Amino acid sequence: MMPVLDFPSCPRLPSLLLALLLKLTGTSVEDFQVNQPESSVSAKVGDVITLGCNIPAPSPVGPVLWFKDARLERKLIYSFNGRRFPRVSPVVNPMANQTDYSIRIRDVSPKDAGMYYCVKLTIGHPDMAYIAGPGTYVSVSGVTHEMFKVQQAEISQTVSPGETLTLSCSIPDSFPNGPVLWFKGTGPNRELIYNFQRGLFPRVNQIGNMAKAGNKDFSIRISEISLKDAGTYFCVKFKEGNPDIEYQSGRGTKVTVTGTRNNFVPDTPGRHFLATRGTNLNKNLL
């Protein structure tokens, strides 16, 4: 018999009740199985994968769900109840006496790697998991090392006073939930430059769209650069917690501020004379 998943919120269905429900449908305990034909599926980043699942009909009334991983770390991947799951769709449209509960997952990323289970539940309060397929393991290949790092494209930048500085930062969406902060310097005395979630930073603006799902761009712009802005800037990813824990930092971008403001002209005697002469000419023209 296929394994029965133990979900803390969905207690295991007693074997006698399971046998009774199957008897009412004309199916024996030994015959009833959730079939996942592929034990493993390999994919590359950006691929579309199909996860197969077949459940014999008739079967006891109740929903069919897809989960990633089991027990406490399980994650609901798809439900055939009409709810929307942005990257997941059924292979076959829902119908009476349906037996094919396969799904497709598009735009595969490294975070999609893991074991997937097709699970049959019975109607109850709450629904109770009573039997699951053996699981299909999904591996994601073609992943570069950079896909697991905070990326700061520029090692160094040179700007002049008064200019606007752009600091780039890209963070993989496979990282755990948590905020992203920009700092100048390192160690306990580092200076907070920008927080994407809260705070006022008059000269700093974000570039990426934080409201967009899957946003990876955490670049910023700093306006009205001055000599005191020289230093090394770090884009830092934190893992959500209480308190948040630093997860990974970019390699840093060293900023050098040199020269003078582009619109500044030294105040020389000749310049003062020309300015005064121009004022007198303007007065004569009036």
Side-chain angles (χ1 to χ4, degrees), residues 142-159:
V143 178
T144 62
H145 186 56
E146 286 71 21
M147 296 190 72
F148 297 100
K149 295 175 70 175
V150 174
Q151 293 291 306
Q152 289 182 242
E154 304 89 3
I155 297 176
S156 63
Q157 291 202 62
T158 301
V159 289

Side-chain angles (χ1 to χ4, degrees), residues 83-280:
R83 177 180 163 190
R84 279 183 57 83
F85 294 81
R87 295 189 300 123
V88 187
S89 58
V91 172
V92 176
N93 291 327
M95 64 182 74
N97 296 319
Q98 180 173 341
T99 60
D100 189 348
Y101 290 91
S102 305
I103 58 172
R104 288 193 183 96
I105 304 175
R106 66 178 185 275
D107 195 21
V108 168
S109 71
K111 67 181 179 181
D112 292 318
M115 186 71 79
Y116 290 76
Y117 294 93
C118 182
V119 181
K120 171 66 180 176
L121 284 76
T122 60
I123 290 180
H125 301 285
D127 290 340
M128 296 181 289
Y130 86 61
I131 195 165
T136 300
Y137 183 77
V138 174
S139 59
V140 182
S141 61
V143 178
T144 62
H145 186 56
E146 286 71 21
M147 296 190 72
F148 297 100
K149 295 175 70 175
V150 174
Q151 293 291 306
Q152 289 182 242
E154 304 89 3
I155 297 176
S156 63
Q157 291 202 62
T158 301
V159 289
S160 298
E163 291 185 343
T164 296
L165 169 69
T166 299
L167 296 171
S168 65
C169 176
S170 178
I171 294 182
D173 60 1
S174 57
F175 276 15
N177 292 333
V180 176
L181 308 179
W182 274 92
F183 292 97
K184 178 184 172 187
T186 59
N189 296 321
R190 61 187 176 179
E191 178 187 356
L192 176 63
I193 298 299
Y194 193 73
N195 184 331
F196 287 87
Q197 293 184 347
R198 58 183 177 270
L200 275 176
F201 305 88
R203 295 191 299 127
V204 187
N205 293 297
Q206 63 192 38
I207 295 176
N209 181 4
M210 298 302 111
K212 180 182 178 182
N215 174 65
K216 303 176 185 178
D217 188 356
F218 291 88
S219 306
I220 58 172
R221 286 193 184 97
I222 305 176
S223 60
E224 287 296 315
I225 288 293
S226 67
L227 293 175
K228 68 179 182 180
D229 291 318
T232 303
Y233 291 75
F234 296 89
C235 181
V236 183
K237 171 68 178 178
F238 284 77
K239 183 178 181 181
E240 199 172 66
N242 190 21
D244 296 334
I245 301 171
E246 185 170 327
Y247 183 76
Q248 190 180 119
S249 172
R251 61 184 176 179
T253 299
K254 183 178 180 181
V255 173
T256 302
V257 182
T258 183
T260 56
R261 294 180 66 100
N262 291 336
N263 59 352
F264 177 76
V265 180
D267 191 12
T268 62
R271 175 177 172 270
H272 180 72
F273 170 75
L274 288 173
T276 305
R277 183 180 177 187
T279 302
N280 291 335

